[in-house]
Amino acid sequence: MPLWSQSLIPTLRENPQEAEIPSHTLMLRAGLIRRLSGGLYTFLPLGLRALRRVERIVREEMDAAGALEVLMPALQPRELWDRTGRYEAMGDVMFKVRDRQQRELVLGPTHEEVITELAAREINSYRGLPRTFYQIQNKFRDEIRPRFGLMRAKEFSMKDAYSFDLGWDEADASYQAMYNAYTRIFTRCGLRTRVVEADTGAMGGKWSHEFMVLAEAGEDGLVECEGCPYAANLERAERRAPDAPPPPQAAADGAAESPRDVETPGCKTIEQVSAFLRCEPARLIKTLIYTVNGRPAAVLVAGDRDLNEHKLARALETGDVALADDATIERVTGAPVGFAGPVGLDIPVYADQGLRGISGAAAGANRADTHVTGVSLDRDAAVTAYYDLAAVREGDRCPRCGGRLREKRGIEVGHVFKLGTRYSERLGALYLDEHGERKPMVMGCYGIGVTRTLQAVIEQSHDDKGIVWPAAVAPYPVVILDLDPSVPASAGAAARLAETLEARGIDVLVDDRDERPGIKFHDADLIGFPLRVVIGRRGLEQGKLEVKRRTEEKAEMVAIEAAAEAVAARIREWSGGVKE
RNA sequence: CGGGGCGUAGCGCAGCUUGGUAGCGCGCUUGCUUCGGGAGCAAGAGGUCAGGGGUUCAAAUCCCCUCGCCCCGACCA
């Protein structure tokens, strides 16, 4: 029988200075975790119990989905990462170490290389497919800025899974199976999640979905459509182009005016130019000089829009896009930074689809202190191609149904990718099909941030008194507050109830501390045990104790003999329906 | 890496402007009283004031450097 007095549960009365968002503050205050150093945390007994509860749900659902649990090394040879080209691609996020032979190793930020290597060696025939493997293990990433406790840490627990299939259709089925398992996992954890289309980033691959926990403190922006199921990470979000470009400002004279240079001394920003020319920002053509695969190119968006670099990279099918440095900009435009424009440029020009057909617009003249007005983009500039490049924002139109898009924030707790054959080809994960033909396995990969999920649960489920644990992930579903632990009758009643509950498979923590009742009540609320049983003199005199849900204000008085059943009934209520 | 802020007892903070015995609240220890929503009284313990260097008769306080932490940005399977 776990006794509070024998554990280490260092609750904090005040908000620690190191924490900013509710979940982080509460994890520290409730004595779940302690920081060792930036982005590195120790799990204390209660925090670890909660983490194990999440892991258990993940294991059960992965197993149920037919995935096979394995455990791969966190330390991996650099050579393996060179073979997929990701040693370079990952850059500084990988922790790099050397052994005493000076062999270069990395601390795994993820395990595509290792698992694909394994599949390449051990699976040779179509008879061995499909297979999905998973593990729960600590990952290491040298984050630029660790943040918000477990939300973005340098070492964190992740469940990663990898599927290997005969072909694309089969891979779709594996993907769907994981997608479904994820939905069940997060539901069982008591989370409300939103699935969004996502960018694949350094992972590569064709397609991916992220499972987002909607929260103010979320690090990711996303949009969802008010009229249809479309939802996407802002990194990837698309929009339907406006039906028509804004009409020319000087439309009165009928025909589009011709380009004319205007002196705009010192006007470098959109705000300055728009104020100077008395022209709304949407009528300015923002011209950004980029390097794409090392070569300069111009990228155009409307003056009131931001460019989405992820979308630019996707459109141009490259990972190598970066804003050009000042020297390059001056060389290709022949003007100081701030006066670039599309007219007369002899580099590729990529324009946002929202600019299609625009006329009577203004842009930089590629000459110091000068802009051009009366620009008709198609007539006056050589646009190489139009793409959807602008960053989507609240109020834009849905790419599917044309409805209004709404912006939200979320915490990414899960991410599923259709990887394709990128890794299997490079690492030789090939199989012989029934015709004796050698083919690459088609892969998918699927991650859940386990520690992050735990914190997301708290972020989504707390009140002004503390955490409100869903029963499925609470460190203990029940806490028994013994208000008079020095009184044998009281301690005896607490022990008997705890033993009865444990015999029924219900974990209980007994608060037997020699503390005043107020402290015990506050700590119980702070930690957020779903059920609280109070044993005190008042009740004992009538042979009763009280049972209260964390979510309810009022307690129920229950006869001592009926207490175990009363508790068990409430626990059943929580686990029923979801778990089957 | 750029910008901003902070490092003083276990936690939260004051003191620094204007240099002169290191403080407050909570927590901790002991005793007495108290005991159903963070008790009262009394007595205590606990600090190289992040570290290093400099200025000065004298530095938590002024100057320089380094380190750590937090926030914003860039970045992010």
Side-chain angles (χ1 to χ4, degrees):
Chain A
M1 173 177 73
L3 295 174
W4 195 309
S5 66
Q6 305 301 306
S7 186
L8 177 68
I9 308 173
T11 57
L12 265 24
R13 188 182 295 223
E14 292 170 281
N15 288 343
Q17 189 240 336
E18 74 184 65
E20 195 75 5
I21 63 173
S23 55
H24 186 197
T25 301
L26 288 171
M27 293 198 85
L28 292 164
R29 283 193 57 201
L32 305 183
I33 58 169
R34 284 295 183 263
R35 194 192 65 200
L36 205 219
S37 144
L40 300 174
Y41 288 83
T42 296
F43 277 81
L44 303 183
L46 285 193
L48 182 61
R49 283 191 64 97
L51 184 68
R52 295 288 184 239
R53 302 288 299 250
V54 175
E55 287 177 358
R56 203 177 110 192
I57 292 172
V58 170
R59 279 205 172 85
E60 286 176 5
E61 294 299 338
M62 282 292 119
D63 292 346
L68 306 166
E69 184 166 8
V70 295
L71 184 59
M72 294 179 260
L75 265 182
Q76 307 167 13
R78 170 193 170 151
E79 179 271 331
L80 191 54
W81 288 77
D82 283 331
R83 283 164 64 192
T84 55
R86 285 215 299 176
Y87 187 85
E88 281 297 317
M90 283 281 174
D92 293 332
V93 303
M94 276 212 284
F95 281 103
K96 296 155 187 173
V97 294
R98 287 170 190 272
D99 66 11
R100 63 178 72 205
Q101 265 95 219
Q102 300 303 306
R103 256 172 35 104
E104 292 182 62
L105 302 163
V106 301
L107 281 172
T110 173
H111 280 71
E112 282 76 21
E113 279 76 4
V114 179
I115 195 73
T116 308
E117 225 277 331
L118 181 82
R121 285 178 186 279
E122 308 301 334
I123 301 177
N124 305 304
S125 159
Y126 71 96
R127 296 176 207 273
L129 296 173
R131 290 289 184 277
T132 296
F133 303 98
Y134 80 97
Q135 65 172 350
I136 296 177
Q137 189 211 35
N138 279 7
K139 298 285 187 272
F140 299 85
R141 290 187 195 174
D142 192 358
E143 293 288 350
I144 295 174
R145 180 142 89 92
R147 231 193 289 223
F148 302 146
L150 305 180
M151 212 62 104
R152 177 167 297 274
K154 292 192 174 183
E155 178 176 355
F156 59 98
S157 173
M158 171 162 142
K159 187 287 303 175
D160 45 327
Y162 308 90
S163 62
F164 297 87
D165 277 284
L166 296 170
W168 287 93
D169 292 347
E170 292 85 347
D172 284 350
S174 296
Y175 183 89
Q176 195 59 44
M178 285 294 115
Y179 184 108
N180 294 343
Y182 275 32
T183 303
R184 297 170 53 83
I185 287 167
F186 295 124
T187 302
R188 283 183 61 184
C189 287
L191 285 167
R192 297 182 303 279
T193 52
R194 188 90 174 82
V195 181
V196 303
E197 293 177 11
D199 193 60
T200 52
M203 204 61 203
K206 299 282 182 222
W207 193 252
S208 82
H209 287 99
E210 286 170 339
F211 288 74
M212 294 283 195
V213 171
L214 296 181
E216 282 297 311
E219 289 191 275
D220 289 282
L222 57 98
V223 290
E224 56 184 22
C225 179
E226 290 179 351
C228 80
Y230 179 76
N233 190 309
L234 276 182
E235 290 176 354
R236 180 187 230 277
E238 300 163 27
R239 63 169 182 145
R240 182 174 292 187
D243 292 329
Q249 203 155 39
D253 59 357
E257 54 182 313
S258 33
R260 191 160 50 91
D261 285 1
V262 185
E263 296 273 315
T264 51
C267 296
K268 295 186 171 192
T269 65
I270 292 291
E271 291 73 31
Q272 290 165 346
V273 176
S274 118
F276 188 86
L277 295 177
R278 271 189 266 265
C279 159
E280 54 191 85
R283 304 213 52 78
L284 298 175
I285 297 172
K286 194 191 288 186
T287 306
L288 305 162
I289 306 299
Y290 268 75
T291 58
V292 177
N293 297 322
R295 310 181 66 88
V299 182
L300 276 36
V301 291
D304 62 340
R305 284 281 168 176
D306 291 324
L307 172 73
N308 180 334
E309 281 190 18
H310 299 275
K311 285 164 71 174
L312 176 66
R314 280 174 66 84
L316 301 179
E317 296 179 337
T318 173
D320 181 22
V321 300
L323 212 46
D325 57 33
D326 289 2
T328 306
I329 294 172
E330 285 167 21
R331 183 168 50 81
V332 303
T333 65
V337 174
F339 299 96
V343 182
L345 283 182
D346 61 351
I347 53 176
V349 176
Y350 305 108
D352 179 61
Q353 56 171 10
L355 290 173
R356 201 187 287 270
I358 194 169
S359 60
N366 298 322
R367 191 146 46 106
D369 296 329
T370 313
H371 279 74
V372 205
T373 59
V375 173
S376 288
L377 191 55
D378 291 319
R379 181 192 64 197
D380 302 322
V383 175
T384 312
Y386 285 94
Y387 299 110
D388 176 16
L389 300 175
V392 167
R393 62 189 181 206
E394 173 112 10
D396 281 345
R397 294 172 61 202
C398 173
R400 300 284 161 73
C401 74
R404 200 184 119 85
L405 293 174
R406 199 166 36 205
E407 206 174 324
K408 298 237 165 125
R409 300 205 65 78
I411 300 163
E412 178 193 347
V413 289
H415 202 158
V416 292
F417 295 83
K418 288 184 189 176
L419 282 183
T421 55
R422 169 179 173 175
Y423 294 89
S424 46
E425 280 172 1
R426 293 184 199 194
L427 293 171
L430 311 172
Y431 69 94
L432 287 180
D433 70 8
E434 56 265 70
H435 308 298
E437 201 174 324
R438 194 171 297 278
K439 289 182 173 168
M441 302 176 198
V442 179
M443 294 176 56
C445 78
Y446 318 92
I448 288 180
V450 180
T451 39
R452 182 185 282 186
T453 297
L454 181 66
Q455 187 168 339
V457 169
I458 298 172
E459 190 64 31
Q460 206 175 59
S461 185
H462 66 270
D463 61 18
D464 55 345
K465 288 189 281 195
I467 301 169
V468 182
W469 284 114
V473 292
Y476 290 91
V478 183
V479 65
I480 297 175
L481 305 192
D482 179 0
L483 298 189
D484 303 294
S486 59
V487 176
S490 190
R496 278 192 300 279
L497 177 59
E499 279 161 24
T500 312
L501 289 171
E502 282 176 350
R504 286 173 172 248
I506 297 169
D507 290 334
V508 200
L509 179 67
V510 177
D511 187 355
D512 64 330
R513 293 176 299 169
D514 179 22
E515 290 288 357
R516 300 172 64 79
I519 289 180
K520 298 191 176 198
F521 289 131
H522 277 273
D523 277 346
D525 286 341
L526 174 61
I527 295 169
F529 303 98
L531 264 190
R532 187 189 80 185
V533 177
V534 178
I535 298 177
R537 202 181 60 210
R538 260 176 10 200
L540 277 184
E541 283 167 359
Q542 310 162 51
K544 290 183 173 176
L545 39 72
E546 75 177 48
V547 178
K548 186 182 97 63
R549 291 184 181 84
R550 175 65 174 79
T551 50
E552 289 173 350
E553 270 308 304
K554 285 194 4 203
E556 267 179 80
M557 296 305 292
V558 178
I560 291 179
E561 314 80 60
E565 179 49 34
V567 169
R570 285 164 178 75
I571 301 284
R572 274 199 301 275
E573 194 180 298
W574 279 318
S575 53
V578 203
K579 202 174 163 185
E580 86 210 25

